[in-house]
C-alpha cells in the first residue's frame, strides 16, 4: 500500500485546491513544490507590512458567485477596484479607454464628441492583415499611437505590423466616465495576501518545498496511489516532442523610503522607449498606509527553457505540439495533469479554481 492517497506536484492555486479537497474527502496528501515557498504565481511576500505580489499583480475577479464564495472560505476580500493609469511620455490617461481618457486626450466633454473624433480618425479595413491595421480600424490613430502601439510591441517583442489581429480581437471603448478595468460582478484583493489562502488549503497536507518531483519521479510516484501534476506537461515527458513556448516576464522589485510613489496600484508605460511595461505599487492593493513602499517594474522577455514560463503561446504550432503531449497524458495510469502549466492554458485564478474543483470531482 502506498504511503499517501494523493501526491500533488506544485503548490500553486490548482495544486493547493486539490490538496484541500482531497483532505476534505479524508485522503492523505503529500505536496511537492520545486520553489522554496508555496503558492505558485499567486505567492505574496510581506515586506514592511506590504504584501508584495512577487510574480506580478494578481487581482481576483469573477462573475461566478460560487467561485467567489469558495475563496471566501480562506480569506476576506477588500473592495479594491482596478483602475490603472497609462503614462505616455509623461501624459497620464485613465484606463480602460473611457470618457475620462477621451476628455484628457481631446479636451472634449460629451460622448457624442468622443465618438465623432474616433470616427474621424478610424482607418476602415474589412480584412486587416496585421494588428496595426486592425486597431486603426477600431479606435483610430491617437488611441493606437499613444496607448496601444508601444505597450503591445514591448509585450510581444514584435512590431504591431508583424502581429496578427487575433492578439487583440476587441478593444472595449466606454462612452461613460468609469475607470473600473473589469466588468465582473465580484472583484477584490484578499486582505493579508494570497499566501495565507494557500497556507490554509495546505494545512492538512505534508508539504515539501525546494523539492523537484522530476528529480526522482519513480520514487515519488511509488509514494501515492494518485499523482496530480501541475508542472509543465512537456518537461514531464522529457520534451520528447520539443518544448512548448511561453512569453515570460522579469520583475525588478524595489523598496523605497517614500509612503506613496505613484498614487495607484498599476501604471502602464505605453511609449516604446521605456523598457518596462508597468510599474506596480503593491501597497495600494490593500490601501496601505505604511511609511515605506515597494514597487515592481515589469519587463516582458522572450522565454527559453530555464526561465519562468508565464503566458502559454496559444498559436497553432504550440497547440499542435500540446495535442501530442495530451494524447500521451490520456494513457497515463495514475498521473493526472492540471493547472495552467499541466494543461498549457492561460487560466485566470477564477478559471483555475473552476477547473480544479471540476477535476477534483472526477479524480478524488
Ligand atoms: P502555478 O501558480 O504556476 O503553480 C504551479 C506550481 O508548480 C509552481 O509553484 C511551480 O513551482 C510548481 N512546480 C512546477 N513543476 C514542478 C515540479 N517538477 N516539481 C515540484 N513543483 C513543481 N489571474 C487572475 O485571476 N488575476 C490576475 O490579475 C492575474 N495576474 C497574473 C499575472 C501574471 C504575471 C501571471 C503569470 C498570471 C496571472 N494570473 C492572474 C493567473 C494566475 O497566476 C493563475 O491562474 C494561477 O496562478 C494558476 O495556478 P496553477 O497552480 O495552475 O499554476
Amino acid at each position: 500500500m502506498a504511503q499517501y492517497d494523493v501526491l500533488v506536484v506544485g503548490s500553486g492555486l490548482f495544486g493547493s485546491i486539490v490538496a484541500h479537497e482531497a483532505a476534505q474527502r479524508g485522503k492523505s496528501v503529500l505536496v511537492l513544490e520545486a520553489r522554496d515557498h508555496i503558492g505558485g504565481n499567486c505567492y505574496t511576500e510581506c515586506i514592511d507590512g506590504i504584501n508584495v505580489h512577487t510574480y506580478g499583480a494578481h487581482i481576483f475577479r469573477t462573475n461566478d458567485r460560487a467561485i467567489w464564495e469558495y475563496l471566501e472560505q480562506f480569506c476576506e476580500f477588500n473592495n479594491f477596484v482596478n483602475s490603472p493609469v497609462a503614462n505616455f511620455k509623461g501624459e497620464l490617461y485613465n484606463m480602460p479607454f473611457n470618457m475620462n481618457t477621451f476628455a484628457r486626450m481631446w479636451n472634449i466633454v460629451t460622448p457624442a464628441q468622443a465618438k465623432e473624433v474616433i470616427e474621424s480618425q478610424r482607418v476602415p479595413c474589412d480584412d486587416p492583415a496585421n494588428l496595426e491595421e486592425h486597431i486603426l480600424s477600431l479606435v483610430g490613430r491617437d488611441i493606437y499611437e499613444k496607448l496601444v502601439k508601444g505597450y503591445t510591441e514591448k509585450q510581444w517583442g514584435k512590431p504591431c505590423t508583424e502581429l496578427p489581429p487575433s492578439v487583440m480581437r476587441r478593444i472595449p471603448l466606454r462612452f461613460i466616465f468609469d475607470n473600473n478595468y473589469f466588468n465582473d460582478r465580484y472583484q477584490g484583493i484578499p486582505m493579508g495576501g494570497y499566501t495565507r489562502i494557500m497556507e490554509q488549503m495546505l494545512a492538512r497536507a505534508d508539504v515539501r518545498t525546494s523539492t523537484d518531483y522530476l528529480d526522482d519521479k519513480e520514487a515519488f510516484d511509488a509514494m501515492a496511489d494518485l499523482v496530480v501534476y501541475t508542472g509543465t506537461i512537456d518537461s514531464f515527458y522529457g520534451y520528447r516532442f520539443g518544448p512548448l513556448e511561453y512569453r515570460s516576464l522579469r520583475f525588478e522589485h524595489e523598496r523605497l523610503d517614500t509612503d506613496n510613489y505613484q498614487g495607484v496600484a498599476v501604471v502602464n508605460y505605453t511609449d516604446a522607449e521605456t523598457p518596462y511595461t508597468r510599474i506596480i505599487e503593491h501597497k495600494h492593493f490593500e490601501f496601505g498606509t505604511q511609511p515605506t513602499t515597494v514597487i515592481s517594474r515589469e519587463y516582458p522577455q522572450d522565454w527559453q527553457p530555464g526561465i519562468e514560463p508565464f503566458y502559454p503561446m496559444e498559436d497553432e504550432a504550440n497547440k499542435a505540439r500540446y495535442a501530442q503531449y495530451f494524447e500521451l497524458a490520456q494513457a497515463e495510469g495514475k498521473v493526472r495533469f492540471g493547472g495552467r502549466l499541466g494543461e498549457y492554458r492561460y487560466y485566470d485564478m477564477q478559471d483555475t479554481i473552476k477547473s480544479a474543483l471540476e477535476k477534483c470531482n472526477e479524480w478524488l
Side-chain angles (χ1 to χ4, degrees):
M1 202 179 122
Q3 200 178 336
Y4 291 93
D5 295 317
V6 186
L7 168 66
V8 178
V9 181
S11 65
L13 188 56
F14 192 99
S16 297
I17 290 173
V18 173
H20 172 74
E21 290 298 317
Q24 285 290 90
R25 289 160 170 83
K27 295 185 188 294
S28 57
V29 186
L30 172 65
V31 178
L32 304 180
E33 171 53 59
R35 291 176 179 165
D36 64 2
H37 59 76
I38 60 160
N41 288 342
C42 298
Y43 173 71
T44 46
E45 181 190 9
C46 190
I47 299 174
D48 291 353
I50 300 163
N51 292 305
V52 174
H53 298 210
T54 308
Y55 300 96
H58 277 68
I59 299 154
F60 191 81
R61 61 185 188 279
T62 183
N63 277 319
D64 188 330
R65 188 173 177 154
I67 287 180
W68 179 259
E69 286 176 352
Y70 183 81
L71 220 47
E72 274 190 320
Q73 295 177 81
F74 308 98
C75 68
E76 192 179 339
F77 282 106
N78 68 13
N79 59 343
F80 177 83
V81 168
N82 190 26
S83 308
V85 168
N87 182 327
F88 176 77
K89 302 184 180 184
E91 294 171 23
L92 298 183
Y93 295 98
N94 289 111
M95 306 265 287
F97 309 140
N98 74 86
M99 281 302 296
N100 290 308
T101 328
F102 309 143
R104 169 86 174 79
M105 191 168 290
W106 301 312
N107 201 21
I108 52 89
V109 172
T110 66
Q113 288 172 317
K115 284 181 185 169
E116 207 176 296
V117 177
I118 289 170
E119 205 45 49
S120 72
Q121 292 194 359
R122 280 181 60 231
V123 184
C125 179
D126 289 338
D127 189 15
N130 58 52
L131 189 63
E132 177 165 296
E133 288 181 9
H134 175 57
I135 306 291
L136 283 173
S137 76
L138 293 178
V139 298
R141 194 154 293 281
D142 284 347
I143 295 178
Y144 171 67
E145 285 183 352
K146 291 191 169 186
L147 300 178
V148 178
K149 186 175 189 294
Y151 187 87
T152 310
E153 294 185 343
K154 286 189 284 188
Q155 212 176 16
W156 292 95
K158 275 187 187 166
C160 285
T161 47
E162 288 176 25
L163 287 166
S166 59
V167 162
M168 222 179 270
R169 274 270 163 242
R170 287 177 340 110
I171 292 210
L173 297 176
R174 280 191 196 153
F175 294 95
I176 51 173
F177 291 90
D178 178 4
N179 297 331
N180 179 357
Y181 197 77
F182 299 118
N183 292 315
D184 302 66
R185 169 74 181 78
Y186 304 98
Q187 177 178 180
I189 300 288
M191 291 194 269
Y194 286 90
T195 306
R196 275 195 198 173
I197 296 179
M198 262 65 80
E199 278 169 1
Q200 290 174 70
M201 289 175 171
L202 296 171
R204 283 172 289 167
D206 289 341
V207 180
R208 290 192 206 169
T209 51
S210 305
T211 307
D212 192 322
Y213 159 81
L214 295 176
D215 285 347
D216 206 353
K217 190 169 165 302
E218 280 71 34
F220 288 126
D221 281 346
M223 292 174 75
D225 296 325
L226 172 72
V227 178
V228 174
Y229 177 84
T230 72
T232 47
I233 189 167
D234 51 353
S235 68
F236 182 92
Y237 289 111
Y239 305 101
R240 77 175 69 161
F241 304 122
L244 292 164
E245 292 173 308
Y246 294 83
R247 189 83 189 129
S248 194
L249 293 171
R250 178 171 66 81
F251 300 103
E252 211 176 74
H253 305 292
E254 192 180 358
R255 180 189 169 282
L256 299 171
D257 280 322
T258 174
D259 66 335
N260 190 359
Y261 175 74
Q262 62 184 17
V264 67
V266 182
V267 176
N268 289 2
Y269 285 80
T270 58
D271 62 292
E273 292 75 27
T274 308
Y276 40 86
T277 44
R278 307 202 290 180
I279 295 185
I280 308 299
E281 187 173 12
H282 301 269
K283 68 190 308 176
H284 297 304
F285 286 127
E286 296 186 61
F287 317 118
T289 55
Q290 298 84 354
T292 58
T293 196
V294 180
I295 61 166
S296 302
R297 296 182 185 82
E298 216 171 279
Y299 297 83
Q301 62 178 356
D302 291 335
W303 176 83
Q304 48 191 303
I307 65 171
E308 289 294 343
F310 279 130
Y311 301 110
M313 303 281 282
E314 291 177 277
D315 58 15
E316 291 315 312
N318 283 293
K319 276 189 203 162
R321 187 164 287 172
Y322 170 70
Q324 291 180 287
Y325 287 116
F326 180 74
E327 206 179 314
L328 289 184
Q330 294 308 98
E332 287 293 335
K334 65 174 180 182
V335 185
R336 302 285 178 274
F337 296 79
R340 62 175 197 107
L341 302 172
E343 294 175 65
Y344 195 61
R345 294 270 297 273
Y346 186 79
Y347 274 154
D348 269 336
M349 289 181 280
Q350 53 171 324
D351 309 316
T352 304
I353 295 170
K354 188 163 188 275
S355 166
L357 291 175
E358 282 169 6
K359 298 277 165 52
C360 283
N361 285 335
E362 204 181 302
W363 298 338
L364 297 175

